[in-house]
Amino acid sequence: ENRSELFFIAAAMVAAAAIVHLGRLRFNRAPAQAIALLGLSLFATTLRLYHDGFANGAQSFFGYLITILPLMFLVPAMLRTDDDWLRLMRGIALAGVAWTLAVTVQLFKDRYQLFLVANRLTGIAGNSVDAGVLLAFTSVSMLWLVLNEVGRLRRAFWMSVLGLALVYLTWTGTRTGLALFVIGATGALYSRVGRAIFFLPVVAGVLYGLFRVAASMNIDIASDRIFSL
């Protein structure tokens, strides 16, 4: 109910952090990905201005600016050593850990609250697509930590949570989330596997095509049984 207010509070904290570290920021080194994200966000704002009116559009515009602009310059300024990257990936992965554990608790308490739309997992997100995208993003970070974390116990921890997160990602039933994870996993595994990892999206595409062909021929592959509770 108060999600928007909490979002703006978090965004304001990020903006304040950027102001504190203003001397370390390099405004000529904005990552291309961040610029693309800002452009897409401003395009979405334009659509909301047209469809929902000036007030809602202005709210989205201000929200995107105080969130994306500070992160565009703050994050690159903080990533100077390998340890900085490790801490960043841990932070992203820990967000996934918190989400996964919260869903697990709810699963044992009242699992039907987690599947609100067509038996697809929504978890504690607004819908299954949001849940899938969040899980894909954080799962790639967990996979990276499985490969690069310091210490066997830490790698075992990330591996166990990653397995649970991938189960939940499958339960969301979102192709967007699965595709994002495949793309991210390809990048994470490239340093270990080499160019052969680029076959992973191809294999995933072939498997998806086979599933579609089987469905069109009314062949029951029992996927519901495999992934059912």
Side-chain angles (χ1 to χ4, degrees):
E1 183 178 348
N2 299 320
R3 192 177 302 170
S4 297
E5 289 79 1
L6 293 174
F7 174 81
F8 277 105
I9 291 173
M13 292 174 64
V14 173
I19 294 174
V20 171
H21 296 281
L22 195 62
R24 297 177 57 186
L25 305 185
R26 299 293 181 268
F27 296 101
N28 60 340
R29 295 183 180 179
Q33 300 91 329
I35 295 174
L37 178 60
L38 180 62
L40 290 173
S41 301
L42 294 180
F43 176 72
T45 299
T46 304
L47 294 179
R48 195 174 186 193
L49 279 169
Y50 179 79
H51 292 287
D52 295 338
F54 177 80
N56 291 327
Q59 182 182 16
S60 295
F61 178 78
F62 180 70
Y64 287 136
L65 286 184
I66 66 173
T67 304
I68 298 176
L69 277 180
L71 290 175
M72 283 177 61
F73 305 104
L74 184 61
V75 174
M78 298 175 63
L79 299 177
R80 298 187 174 186
T81 66
D82 291 341
D83 288 339
D84 293 335
W85 279 97
L86 188 59
R87 283 191 288 268
L88 174 66
M89 299 303 284
R90 285 173 180 165
I92 296 172
L94 284 174
V97 171
W99 197 94
T100 302
L101 292 179
V103 170
T104 303
V105 171
Q106 183 62 37
L107 185 67
F108 287 99
K109 183 178 180 181
D110 185 4
R111 69 185 186 185
Y112 297 103
Q113 296 298 319
L114 300 174
F115 298 84
L116 300 180
V117 181
N119 294 324
R120 294 170 60 184
L121 178 73
T122 58
I124 55 175
N127 55 67
S128 57
V129 175
D130 288 345
V133 171
L134 185 146
L135 284 169
F137 186 62
T138 55
S139 294
V140 170
S141 299
M142 294 178 199
L143 176 61
W144 189 90
L145 287 167
V146 169
L147 299 173
N148 298 282
E149 182 61 278
V150 179
R152 293 183 179 180
L153 289 178
R154 291 181 179 181
R155 287 198 296 269
F157 169 75
W158 294 120
M159 189 178 300
S160 60
V161 181
L162 173 61
L164 187 57
L166 291 179
V167 171
Y168 291 159
L169 175 59
T170 304
W171 281 348
T172 64
T174 168
R175 291 173 296 229
T176 301
L178 291 172
L180 288 174
F181 176 75
V182 169
I183 295 172
T186 301
L189 293 171
Y190 175 75
S191 61
R192 298 297 180 92
V193 181
R195 294 183 179 179
I197 194 59
F198 290 122
F199 286 103
L200 180 60
V202 177
V203 172
V206 170
L207 289 176
Y208 175 72
L210 291 176
F211 274 97
R212 297 292 296 178
V213 170
S216 67
M217 299 175 63
N218 296 320
I219 298 176
D220 184 10
I221 56 176
S223 59
D224 292 339
R225 180 177 177 82
I226 293 173
F227 300 114
S228 66
L229 294 175

Short mmCIF file of all heavy atoms in Angstrom, two decimals, residues 79-123:
data_model
loop_
_atom_site.label_atom_id
_atom_site.label_comp_id
_atom_site.label_asym_id
_atom_site.label_seq_id
_atom_site.Cartn_x
_atom_site.Cartn_y
_atom_site.Cartn_z
N LEU A 79 33.37 1.24 -7.87
CA LEU A 79 33.93 -0.02 -8.36
C LEU A 79 35.34 0.20 -8.86
O LEU A 79 35.58 0.33 -10.07
CB LEU A 79 33.03 -0.60 -9.47
CG LEU A 79 31.59 -0.93 -9.06
CD1 LEU A 79 30.80 -1.42 -10.25
CD2 LEU A 79 31.58 -1.95 -7.94
N ARG A 80 36.29 0.22 -7.93
CA ARG A 80 37.67 0.48 -8.29
C ARG A 80 38.57 -0.74 -8.18
O ARG A 80 39.61 -0.82 -8.81
CB ARG A 80 38.23 1.62 -7.42
CG ARG A 80 37.49 2.93 -7.59
CD ARG A 80 38.17 4.06 -6.86
NE ARG A 80 37.54 5.35 -7.13
CZ ARG A 80 37.99 6.52 -6.70
NH1 ARG A 80 39.10 6.55 -5.97
NH2 ARG A 80 37.36 7.64 -6.99
N THR A 81 38.18 -1.69 -7.34
CA THR A 81 38.99 -2.89 -7.14
C THR A 81 38.11 -4.13 -7.29
O THR A 81 36.88 -4.05 -7.36
CB THR A 81 39.63 -2.89 -5.73
OG1 THR A 81 38.58 -3.00 -4.75
CG2 THR A 81 40.41 -1.61 -5.49
N ASP A 82 38.77 -5.30 -7.33
CA ASP A 82 38.01 -6.55 -7.40
C ASP A 82 37.13 -6.75 -6.18
O ASP A 82 36.02 -7.29 -6.28
CB ASP A 82 38.98 -7.73 -7.54
CG ASP A 82 39.69 -7.74 -8.88
OD1 ASP A 82 39.19 -7.09 -9.82
OD2 ASP A 82 40.75 -8.40 -9.00
N ASP A 83 37.60 -6.30 -5.01
CA ASP A 83 36.79 -6.42 -3.80
C ASP A 83 35.53 -5.57 -3.88
O ASP A 83 34.48 -5.96 -3.34
CB ASP A 83 37.61 -6.01 -2.58
CG ASP A 83 38.67 -7.04 -2.22
OD1 ASP A 83 38.53 -8.20 -2.63
OD2 ASP A 83 39.65 -6.67 -1.53
N ASP A 84 35.61 -4.43 -4.55
CA ASP A 84 34.43 -3.60 -4.73
C ASP A 84 33.37 -4.33 -5.55
O ASP A 84 32.17 -4.29 -5.23
CB ASP A 84 34.80 -2.29 -5.43
CG ASP A 84 35.68 -1.41 -4.56
OD1 ASP A 84 35.62 -1.55 -3.32
OD2 ASP A 84 36.44 -0.59 -5.12
N TRP A 85 33.81 -5.00 -6.62
CA TRP A 85 32.88 -5.78 -7.43
C TRP A 85 32.27 -6.92 -6.63
O TRP A 85 31.07 -7.22 -6.75
CB TRP A 85 33.61 -6.34 -8.66
CG TRP A 85 33.74 -5.35 -9.76
CD1 TRP A 85 34.83 -4.56 -10.04
CD2 TRP A 85 32.75 -5.01 -10.73
NE1 TRP A 85 34.58 -3.76 -11.13
CE2 TRP A 85 33.32 -4.02 -11.57
CE3 TRP A 85 31.46 -5.44 -10.98
CZ2 TRP A 85 32.62 -3.46 -12.63
CZ3 TRP A 85 30.74 -4.88 -12.04
CH2 TRP A 85 31.33 -3.91 -12.86
N LEU A 86 33.09 -7.55 -5.80
CA LEU A 86 32.60 -8.66 -4.98
C LEU A 86 31.53 -8.18 -4.01
O LEU A 86 30.48 -8.84 -3.84
CB LEU A 86 33.76 -9.30 -4.22
CG LEU A 86 33.46 -10.59 -3.45
CD1 LEU A 86 32.94 -11.68 -4.39
CD2 LEU A 86 34.71 -11.08 -2.72
N ARG A 87 31.75 -7.04 -3.39
CA ARG A 87 30.76 -6.49 -2.47
C ARG A 87 29.47 -6.11 -3.19
O ARG A 87 28.36 -6.30 -2.67
CB ARG A 87 31.34 -5.29 -1.73
CG ARG A 87 32.31 -5.66 -0.62
CD ARG A 87 32.62 -4.45 0.24
NE ARG A 87 33.48 -3.51 -0.48
CZ ARG A 87 34.81 -3.52 -0.41
NH1 ARG A 87 35.42 -4.42 0.33
NH2 ARG A 87 35.52 -2.63 -1.07
N LEU A 88 29.60 -5.58 -4.40
CA LEU A 88 28.41 -5.22 -5.18
C LEU A 88 27.58 -6.45 -5.51
O LEU A 88 26.35 -6.46 -5.32
CB LEU A 88 28.83 -4.50 -6.47
CG LEU A 88 27.68 -4.21 -7.45
CD1 LEU A 88 26.71 -3.20 -6.85
CD2 LEU A 88 28.23 -3.70 -8.78
N MET A 89 28.23 -7.50 -5.98
CA MET A 89 27.51 -8.72 -6.33
C MET A 89 26.88 -9.36 -5.09
O MET A 89 25.78 -9.92 -5.17
CB MET A 89 28.46 -9.70 -7.02
CG MET A 89 29.06 -9.17 -8.31
SD MET A 89 27.83 -8.68 -9.54
CE MET A 89 27.28 -10.28 -10.13
N ARG A 90 27.57 -9.29 -3.97
CA ARG A 90 26.98 -9.81 -2.73
C ARG A 90 25.73 -9.03 -2.35
O ARG A 90 24.72 -9.62 -1.92
CB ARG A 90 28.00 -9.73 -1.59
CG ARG A 90 29.10 -10.77 -1.64
CD ARG A 90 30.13 -10.48 -0.57
NE ARG A 90 31.23 -11.45 -0.56
CZ ARG A 90 32.37 -11.27 0.07
NH1 ARG A 90 32.57 -10.14 0.75
NH2 ARG A 90 33.31 -12.19 0.04
N GLY A 91 25.78 -7.72 -2.50
CA GLY A 91 24.61 -6.91 -2.17
C GLY A 91 23.41 -7.25 -3.02
O GLY A 91 22.29 -7.37 -2.52
N ILE A 92 23.65 -7.41 -4.33
CA ILE A 92 22.55 -7.78 -5.23
C ILE A 92 22.02 -9.16 -4.88
O ILE A 92 20.80 -9.39 -4.81
CB ILE A 92 23.03 -7.74 -6.69
CG1 ILE A 92 23.42 -6.32 -7.09
CG2 ILE A 92 21.96 -8.27 -7.63
CD1 ILE A 92 24.09 -6.21 -8.45
N ALA A 93 22.93 -10.10 -4.65
CA ALA A 93 22.51 -11.47 -4.34
C ALA A 93 21.77 -11.54 -3.01
O ALA A 93 20.82 -12.31 -2.87
CB ALA A 93 23.73 -12.38 -4.32
N LEU A 94 22.19 -10.75 -2.03
CA LEU A 94 21.52 -10.77 -0.73
C LEU A 94 20.08 -10.29 -0.84
O LEU A 94 19.21 -10.74 -0.07
CB LEU A 94 22.29 -9.92 0.29
CG LEU A 94 23.57 -10.57 0.83
CD1 LEU A 94 24.33 -9.57 1.71
CD2 LEU A 94 23.25 -11.83 1.62
N ALA A 95 19.81 -9.39 -1.76
CA ALA A 95 18.43 -8.98 -2.00
C ALA A 95 17.61 -10.18 -2.48
O ALA A 95 16.46 -10.37 -2.05
CB ALA A 95 18.38 -7.85 -3.04
N GLY A 96 18.21 -10.99 -3.35
CA GLY A 96 17.54 -12.21 -3.79
C GLY A 96 17.37 -13.22 -2.68
O GLY A 96 16.35 -13.93 -2.60
N VAL A 97 18.36 -13.30 -1.79
CA VAL A 97 18.26 -14.21 -0.64
C VAL A 97 17.09 -13.81 0.25
O VAL A 97 16.29 -14.66 0.66
CB VAL A 97 19.57 -14.20 0.17
CG1 VAL A 97 19.40 -14.97 1.48
CG2 VAL A 97 20.70 -14.82 -0.65
N ALA A 98 16.98 -12.51 0.55
CA ALA A 98 15.89 -12.04 1.39
C ALA A 98 14.53 -12.34 0.77
O ALA A 98 13.60 -12.80 1.44
CB ALA A 98 16.04 -10.53 1.64
N TRP A 99 14.41 -12.10 -0.55
CA TRP A 99 13.15 -12.36 -1.25
C TRP A 99 12.83 -13.86 -1.24
O TRP A 99 11.70 -14.27 -0.97
CB TRP A 99 13.26 -11.85 -2.68
CG TRP A 99 11.96 -11.69 -3.40
CD1 TRP A 99 11.21 -10.57 -3.50
CD2 TRP A 99 11.24 -12.71 -4.13
NE1 TRP A 99 10.08 -10.81 -4.24
CE2 TRP A 99 10.08 -12.11 -4.64
CE3 TRP A 99 11.49 -14.05 -4.41
CZ2 TRP A 99 9.15 -12.81 -5.42
CZ3 TRP A 99 10.57 -14.76 -5.17
CH2 TRP A 99 9.41 -14.14 -5.67
N THR A 100 13.84 -14.67 -1.51
CA THR A 100 13.63 -16.11 -1.57
C THR A 100 13.24 -16.68 -0.21
O THR A 100 12.33 -17.52 -0.11
CB THR A 100 14.91 -16.81 -2.07
OG1 THR A 100 15.25 -16.29 -3.37
CG2 THR A 100 14.73 -18.31 -2.16
N LEU A 101 13.89 -16.21 0.85
CA LEU A 101 13.55 -16.69 2.19
C LEU A 101 12.16 -16.26 2.60
O LEU A 101 11.42 -17.04 3.23
CB LEU A 101 14.58 -16.19 3.20
CG LEU A 101 15.99 -16.77 3.07
CD1 LEU A 101 16.92 -16.18 4.12
CD2 LEU A 101 15.97 -18.30 3.17
N ALA A 102 11.76 -15.03 2.25
CA ALA A 102 10.42 -14.56 2.57
C ALA A 102 9.36 -15.41 1.86
O ALA A 102 8.33 -15.77 2.45
CB ALA A 102 10.27 -13.09 2.18
N VAL A 103 9.63 -15.75 0.60
CA VAL A 103 8.69 -16.60 -0.15
C VAL A 103 8.64 -18.00 0.46
O VAL A 103 7.57 -18.62 0.55
CB VAL A 103 9.09 -16.66 -1.63
CG1 VAL A 103 8.28 -17.72 -2.38
CG2 VAL A 103 8.90 -15.30 -2.28
N THR A 104 9.78 -18.50 0.90
CA THR A 104 9.83 -19.84 1.50
C THR A 104 9.01 -19.89 2.79
O THR A 104 8.27 -20.85 3.03
CB THR A 104 11.28 -20.24 1.79
OG1 THR A 104 12.03 -20.19 0.57
CG2 THR A 104 11.35 -21.64 2.37
N VAL A 105 9.13 -18.85 3.60
CA VAL A 105 8.33 -18.78 4.83
C VAL A 105 6.84 -18.77 4.50
O VAL A 105 6.04 -19.50 5.10
CB VAL A 105 8.71 -17.53 5.65
CG1 VAL A 105 7.74 -17.34 6.81
CG2 VAL A 105 10.13 -17.65 6.16
N GLN A 106 6.46 -17.95 3.51
CA GLN A 106 5.07 -17.89 3.11
C GLN A 106 4.60 -19.20 2.49
O GLN A 106 3.43 -19.59 2.62
CB GLN A 106 4.85 -16.74 2.12
CG GLN A 106 3.41 -16.53 1.68
CD GLN A 106 2.51 -16.15 2.83
OE1 GLN A 106 2.91 -15.43 3.73
NE2 GLN A 106 1.28 -16.65 2.82
N LEU A 107 5.51 -19.91 1.86
CA LEU A 107 5.17 -21.19 1.23
C LEU A 107 4.68 -22.19 2.27
O LEU A 107 3.73 -22.94 2.03
CB LEU A 107 6.40 -21.73 0.50
CG LEU A 107 6.21 -23.01 -0.33
CD1 LEU A 107 5.31 -22.74 -1.51
CD2 LEU A 107 7.56 -23.53 -0.81
N PHE A 108 5.31 -22.19 3.42
CA PHE A 108 4.91 -23.13 4.47
C PHE A 108 3.73 -22.60 5.30
O PHE A 108 3.02 -23.37 5.93
CB PHE A 108 6.10 -23.42 5.39
CG PHE A 108 7.13 -24.30 4.75
CD1 PHE A 108 8.28 -23.76 4.19
CD2 PHE A 108 6.96 -25.68 4.70
CE1 PHE A 108 9.24 -24.57 3.60
CE2 PHE A 108 7.91 -26.50 4.11
CZ PHE A 108 9.05 -25.94 3.56
N LYS A 109 3.54 -21.28 5.26
CA LYS A 109 2.46 -20.69 6.04
C LYS A 109 1.14 -20.75 5.27
O LYS A 109 0.12 -21.21 5.81
CB LYS A 109 2.80 -19.23 6.37
CG LYS A 109 1.77 -18.55 7.25
CD LYS A 109 2.20 -17.14 7.59
CE LYS A 109 1.15 -16.46 8.48
NZ LYS A 109 1.54 -15.06 8.80
N ASP A 110 1.14 -20.26 4.04
CA ASP A 110 -0.07 -20.29 3.20
C ASP A 110 0.37 -20.16 1.75
O ASP A 110 0.45 -19.06 1.21
CB ASP A 110 -1.02 -19.16 3.58
CG ASP A 110 -2.33 -19.23 2.80
OD1 ASP A 110 -2.52 -20.20 2.03
OD2 ASP A 110 -3.16 -18.32 2.96
N ARG A 111 0.66 -21.28 1.13
CA ARG A 111 1.25 -21.26 -0.21
C ARG A 111 0.32 -20.69 -1.27
O ARG A 111 0.76 -20.20 -2.30
CB ARG A 111 1.68 -22.66 -0.61
CG ARG A 111 0.54 -23.63 -0.86
CD ARG A 111 1.06 -25.01 -1.14
NE ARG A 111 0.01 -25.94 -1.52
CZ ARG A 111 0.20 -27.22 -1.72
NH1 ARG A 111 1.40 -27.73 -1.57
NH2 ARG A 111 -0.79 -27.99 -2.08
N TYR A 112 -0.98 -20.73 -1.04
CA TYR A 112 -1.93 -20.26 -2.05
C TYR A 112 -1.86 -18.75 -2.23
O TYR A 112 -2.30 -18.24 -3.26
CB TYR A 112 -3.34 -20.69 -1.67
CG TYR A 112 -3.49 -22.20 -1.64
CD1 TYR A 112 -3.53 -22.88 -0.43
CD2 TYR A 112 -3.55 -22.93 -2.82
CE1 TYR A 112 -3.64 -24.26 -0.38
CE2 TYR A 112 -3.66 -24.32 -2.79
CZ TYR A 112 -3.70 -24.98 -1.58
OH TYR A 112 -3.80 -26.35 -1.55
N GLN A 113 -1.31 -18.04 -1.26
CA GLN A 113 -1.13 -16.60 -1.41
C GLN A 113 0.01 -16.25 -2.36
O GLN A 113 0.15 -15.10 -2.77
CB GLN A 113 -0.86 -15.96 -0.04
CG GLN A 113 -2.01 -16.08 0.94
CD GLN A 113 -3.26 -15.39 0.46
OE1 GLN A 113 -3.19 -14.29 -0.10
NE2 GLN A 113 -4.40 -16.02 0.67
N LEU A 114 0.82 -17.24 -2.69
CA LEU A 114 1.96 -17.01 -3.59
C LEU A 114 1.61 -17.23 -5.05
O LEU A 114 2.36 -16.86 -5.94
CB LEU A 114 3.12 -17.94 -3.21
CG LEU A 114 3.67 -17.80 -1.80
CD1 LEU A 114 4.71 -18.88 -1.53
CD2 LEU A 114 4.28 -16.42 -1.59
N PHE A 115 0.47 -17.86 -5.30
CA PHE A 115 0.06 -18.20 -6.66
C PHE A 115 -1.30 -17.56 -6.92
O PHE A 115 -2.34 -18.21 -6.85
CB PHE A 115 -0.01 -19.72 -6.84
CG PHE A 115 1.29 -20.42 -6.64
CD1 PHE A 115 1.72 -20.78 -5.38
CD2 PHE A 115 2.10 -20.73 -7.72
CE1 PHE A 115 2.93 -21.44 -5.18
CE2 PHE A 115 3.32 -21.39 -7.54
CZ PHE A 115 3.72 -21.74 -6.27
N LEU A 116 -1.28 -16.25 -7.20
CA LEU A 116 -2.53 -15.51 -7.31
C LEU A 116 -3.06 -15.43 -8.73
O LEU A 116 -4.22 -15.12 -8.94
CB LEU A 116 -2.33 -14.09 -6.76
CG LEU A 116 -1.91 -14.00 -5.28
CD1 LEU A 116 -1.74 -12.55 -4.87
CD2 LEU A 116 -2.92 -14.69 -4.39
N VAL A 117 -2.22 -15.71 -9.72
CA VAL A 117 -2.64 -15.57 -11.13
C VAL A 117 -2.31 -16.85 -11.88
O VAL A 117 -1.13 -17.18 -12.10
CB VAL A 117 -1.94 -14.37 -11.81
CG1 VAL A 117 -2.41 -14.25 -13.26
CG2 VAL A 117 -2.22 -13.09 -11.05
N ALA A 118 -3.33 -17.62 -12.25
CA ALA A 118 -3.18 -18.79 -13.13
C ALA A 118 -2.09 -19.74 -12.65
O ALA A 118 -1.32 -20.27 -13.45
CB ALA A 118 -2.91 -18.34 -14.56
N ASN A 119 -2.02 -19.94 -11.33
CA ASN A 119 -1.06 -20.88 -10.76
C ASN A 119 0.39 -20.52 -11.06
O ASN A 119 1.26 -21.39 -11.06
CB ASN A 119 -1.34 -22.30 -11.23
CG ASN A 119 -2.66 -22.82 -10.71
OD1 ASN A 119 -3.05 -22.51 -9.58
ND2 ASN A 119 -3.36 -23.59 -11.52
N ARG A 120 0.65 -19.25 -11.32
CA ARG A 120 2.02 -18.77 -11.54
C ARG A 120 2.48 -18.04 -10.30
O ARG A 120 1.75 -17.24 -9.72
CB ARG A 120 2.08 -17.86 -12.77
CG ARG A 120 1.78 -18.58 -14.07
CD ARG A 120 1.62 -17.60 -15.22
NE ARG A 120 2.85 -16.82 -15.42
CZ ARG A 120 2.92 -15.84 -16.32
NH1 ARG A 120 1.88 -15.53 -17.07
NH2 ARG A 120 4.05 -15.17 -16.46
N LEU A 121 3.71 -18.30 -9.90
CA LEU A 121 4.25 -17.72 -8.68
C LEU A 121 4.36 -16.20 -8.79
O LEU A 121 4.98 -15.70 -9.72
CB LEU A 121 5.62 -18.32 -8.37
CG LEU A 121 6.33 -17.76 -7.14
CD1 LEU A 121 5.66 -18.28 -5.88
CD2 LEU A 121 7.80 -18.15 -7.14
N THR A 122 3.76 -15.51 -7.87
CA THR A 122 3.95 -14.06 -7.76
C THR A 122 4.83 -13.73 -6.56
O THR A 122 5.45 -12.67 -6.52
CB THR A 122 2.60 -13.33 -7.60
OG1 THR A 122 1.92 -13.84 -6.45
CG2 THR A 122 1.73 -13.53 -8.82
N GLY A 123 4.87 -14.65 -5.58
CA GLY A 123 5.68 -14.42 -4.41
C GLY A 123 5.22 -13.19 -3.65
O GLY A 123 4.03 -13.00 -3.43
#
